[in-house]
Amino acid sequence: MHQASDRAALRGQLSVAGILIGCVGCVIITASSVYTALKMGSLPWPTIFTSITALVLLRAAGRTSLNEANITQVIMSAGSMVAGGVAFTIPGVWMLGLADSVSFGEMLAVALAGTLLGLVCTALIQRHFVEESDLEYPIGTAAAETLLASRAGGSMGKKLFGSMVLAGLWCIARDVLALMPSLVAQVPVPGVAFGIQNSPMRWAVGFLAGRRSIIYWAIGAVLGWFGIVAGGNALGVWDISTAQGVVSSLGMGLMMGSGAGVVVRDIVMPMVRRASASRDLAASPSEGVREGRTARDGFLSRFISRYDAGVLALMAASAALIVCFVLGLGPVVAIAVTLLAFVTAIMSAQSVGQSGIDPMEIFGLIVLLFVAAFSEATQVQLFFVAGVIAVACGLAGDVMSDFKTGQIIGTSPRSMWFGQAIGALLGTFVAVAVMVALVSAYGPGAFGGQDAMFVAAQAQVVATMVSGIPSVPAFVVGLVAGAVLYCLGIPSMMLGLGVYLPFYMSISTVLGAVVRWAYDRVCASRGMDREAAEETGVVVASGVLGGESIVGVVIAFATVAAGLMG
């Protein structure tokens, strides 16, 4: 892309109004994403939510450009995956009782290094993985369809913000005024935390998740808690404590195995097929030369100039220096982490492009185990490694999805990358600030464990891998089964979540899916347009998700402020 056209695209799509709206939205979305990731043990993509919000707010300001709205939503959503990468790893430090061993500055360094590496990698591979590949990027495609539909006018905006307000008021009534319990319909089952979580946000997660995923989530929950724990205890196979260790290890194995399955099915196998096709083309010398030139030239993005390459090299070097000196991992580990961040970010882009799933914490664990094998890094430093990789991979998945959205509606890749950089760097500071506020307000003991305020399931997995797996045989079985099941087309990640998470969380999520099923049936019986009904449901559920999480973060900051004033 020529410099003149680049500047024109920047002026026409990256506007001051869009940047201001995007930055305000980024602060809110990033803060709520930290809370959601810790509280729910998952992080739904915020892209549809931010797309609609951007359209509503820009139209209120008298601006109607879809490309401008796309850049605005890019800025809004960029920090959410940075938040996920931090929330899915660093709380494990607190779970191991090492809260005093990590500072605000070190958490910020982890997030910043991962953000820089994620941005560099996506700038380099955008052309190859978006423009020249046949990857679908379902999240990015859905965002493009939302923008093209242009239905986020007054009615849709009222539904979005109305559901946010209602969910926020519900959260205040429960957590501030204590007018209702957080867990209802509890039933005493030995070793099983049975009940319904009084959380609109949890129900919204079930509403938004695919029906097939929820079915496997439910199967995993029943298998783990009623089959292994309650059933095994009743038959005298093992005591409850041993059974719970088996369940947690099996769940972790299934989730990590799913990540391994992503690597095998979605990354390695396509590469093998492409290599085989290249060998076939090599039979014709002229075609082979042309193919080789296309592969070399096509891997780098079109908007990369020599100046850009210098800036990207500086960003990568800065990330390596942060890992080396600020995090104290040394030059060898810093180089390894930087190189592996590129490898895993590419894996993340491939995974998101094919399935819409970004197992960022799994990629972090893979690199963590590699570093642990050849270095003398401390436990806390291993968490730092996982955090850097998870942030880089989370951001890579988000950026590549946004590039796909831009390809469909005609947004400049350079403009989107700048939007991502703005949102990601802002989100880096917001995510860490919220993490510090939460641990300051509720203490390290609020993270991890069956009865903890923040389940932080992914961080529990990282903490367990660092400190020791309760049942190695169960973990190995889960690892192998997760990889095989994913390769067979079964969502073993969701199966593993069901096995791993407390039963009340799983059954509450399933309740949200039941609400979705009833909603779809009612809409069909009334003859409503299917796409319009689905869009309305997604908007309302997204508003519910955002409303409760935003209020939760506000309560945490208020608690910290009250403590400082007291």
Side-chain angles (χ1 to χ4, degrees):
M1 184 177 292
H2 298 294
Q3 294 297 318
S5 61
D6 290 343
R7 289 193 294 269
L10 286 173
R11 287 194 299 269
Q13 299 177 2
L14 194 64
S15 66
V16 174
I19 292 174
L20 291 176
I21 292 173
C23 286
V24 172
C26 177
V27 172
I28 296 172
I29 297 298
T30 303
S32 65
S33 294
V34 173
Y35 190 88
T36 301
L38 293 172
K39 191 83 171 177
M40 300 292 106
S42 61
L43 184 58
W45 291 92
T47 310
I48 302 299
F49 174 87
T50 53
S51 296
I52 294 171
T53 303
L55 276 172
V56 170
L57 296 180
L58 283 173
R59 284 182 174 177
R63 311 181 76 90
T64 59
S65 169
L66 286 185
N67 287 318
E68 186 177 359
N70 187 29
I71 298 296
T72 303
Q73 78 84 16
V74 164
I75 299 173
M76 281 186 179
S77 66
S80 64
M81 294 298 114
V82 176
V86 175
F88 286 165
T89 54
I90 298 301
V93 175
W94 307 329
M95 297 174 196
L96 296 184
L98 302 172
D100 295 334
S101 301
V102 59
S103 66
F104 172 87
E106 287 171 324
M107 283 194 285
L108 186 61
V110 168
L112 183 58
T115 296
L116 291 174
L117 290 173
L119 289 170
V120 170
C121 184
T122 51
L124 294 175
I125 66 174
Q126 175 266 341
R127 177 178 179 179
H128 181 74
F129 281 93
V130 177
E131 296 182 17
E132 297 178 344
S133 78
D134 57 357
L135 295 173
E136 295 181 356
Y137 290 99
I139 304 299
T141 300
E145 291 173 350
T146 299
L147 291 168
L148 290 171
S150 299
R151 292 177 176 175
S155 175
M156 199 61 70
K158 290 177 182 177
K159 292 173 183 175
L160 174 67
F161 295 111
S163 61
M164 289 180 66
V165 171
L166 289 175
L169 292 174
W170 188 290
C171 183
I172 291 172
R174 184 194 63 213
D175 297 338
V176 178
L177 304 178
L179 298 178
M180 60 182 81
S182 58
L183 199 64
V184 299
Q186 298 184 66
V187 176
V189 180
V192 180
F194 189 96
I196 302 296
Q197 197 172 8
N198 181 18
S199 171
M201 180 166 63
R202 172 60 66 183
W203 306 333
V205 170
F207 189 97
L208 292 170
R211 185 175 301 172
R212 182 168 178 266
S213 297
I214 291 295
I215 289 174
Y216 281 100
W217 190 332
I219 291 173
V222 173
L223 172 66
W225 294 103
F226 281 92
I228 297 176
V229 176
N233 179 65
L235 294 173
V237 177
W238 40 46
D239 58 31
I240 289 176
S241 177
T242 302
Q244 289 176 338
V246 170
V247 163
S248 64
S249 301
L250 180 63
M252 285 189 296
L254 284 166
M255 287 189 284
M256 281 202 68
S258 176
V262 168
V263 175
V264 173
R265 194 188 79 174
D266 298 340
I267 299 171
V268 174
M269 295 307 297
M271 290 176 63
V272 170
R273 287 193 292 268
R274 284 196 296 269
S276 177
S278 298
R279 285 195 298 269
D280 293 340
L281 285 173
S284 173
S286 60
E287 290 187 12
V289 171
R290 186 167 58 253
E291 178 71 16
R293 185 187 305 118
T294 301
R296 289 192 301 272
D297 297 342
F299 191 77
L300 298 181
S301 295
R302 296 179 189 277
F303 64 83
I304 301 252
S305 65
R306 288 186 177 181
Y307 172 80
D308 295 331
V311 172
L312 294 176
L314 181 61
M315 291 171 64
S318 299
L321 291 173
I322 291 172
V323 173
C324 180
F325 295 107
V326 180
L327 300 180
L329 283 159
V332 175
V333 175
I335 293 172
V337 169
T338 301
L339 295 176
L340 290 173
F342 281 88
V343 175
T344 53
I346 290 172
M347 291 162 58
S348 177
Q350 185 86 11
S351 175
V352 173
Q354 292 196 330
S355 66
I357 298 173
D358 191 356
M360 61 186 84
E361 72 283 1
I362 302 299
F363 295 135
L365 276 172
I366 293 171
V367 178
L368 177 155
L369 294 173
F370 177 80
V371 171
F374 80 85
S375 76
E376 296 182 358
T378 65
Q379 285 186 328
V380 173
Q381 288 175 328
L382 291 176
F383 281 103
F384 293 160
V385 169
V388 170
I389 298 299
V391 170
C393 291
L395 186 60
D398 183 66
V399 175
M400 300 307 286
S401 284
D402 288 334
F403 278 142
K404 184 64 176 181
T405 303
Q407 181 193 36
I408 294 172
I409 69 173
T411 311
S412 161
R414 177 180 289 271
S415 298
M416 284 187 291
W417 189 89
F418 274 105
Q420 282 284 355
I422 293 169
L425 292 172
L426 176 59
T428 294
F429 291 90
V430 174
V432 174
V434 171
M435 291 275 287
V436 171
L438 291 175
V439 74
S440 299
Y442 304 111
F447 300 83
Q450 296 295 322
D451 300 321
M453 180 175 182
F454 300 102
V455 64
Q458 288 81 359
Q460 285 190 57
V461 174
V462 179
T464 304
M465 294 298 294
V466 169
S467 60
I469 302 169
S471 174
V472 174
F475 175 79
V476 172
V477 169
L479 186 68
V480 174
V484 172
L485 290 173
Y486 184 86
C487 291
L488 294 175
I490 295 174
S492 50
M493 177 70 74
M494 307 308 293
L495 194 68
L497 272 176
V499 171
Y500 187 82
L501 290 177
F503 187 78
Y504 71 86
M505 287 191 173
S506 296
I507 195 65
S508 302
T509 307
V510 171
L511 179 61
V514 172
V515 173
R516 174 63 178 269
W517 174 81
Y519 171 79
D520 290 341
R521 293 290 297 269
V522 170
C523 292
S525 65
R526 294 184 177 180
M528 295 179 61
D529 179 73
R530 181 176 179 179
E531 291 186 3
E534 182 175 353
E535 183 177 342
T536 298
V538 169
V539 167
V540 172
S542 298
V544 168
L545 193 68
E548 183 173 342
S549 56
I550 290 167
V551 171
V553 171
V554 171
I555 292 173
F557 274 103
T559 302
V560 174
L564 293 175
M565 294 176 62

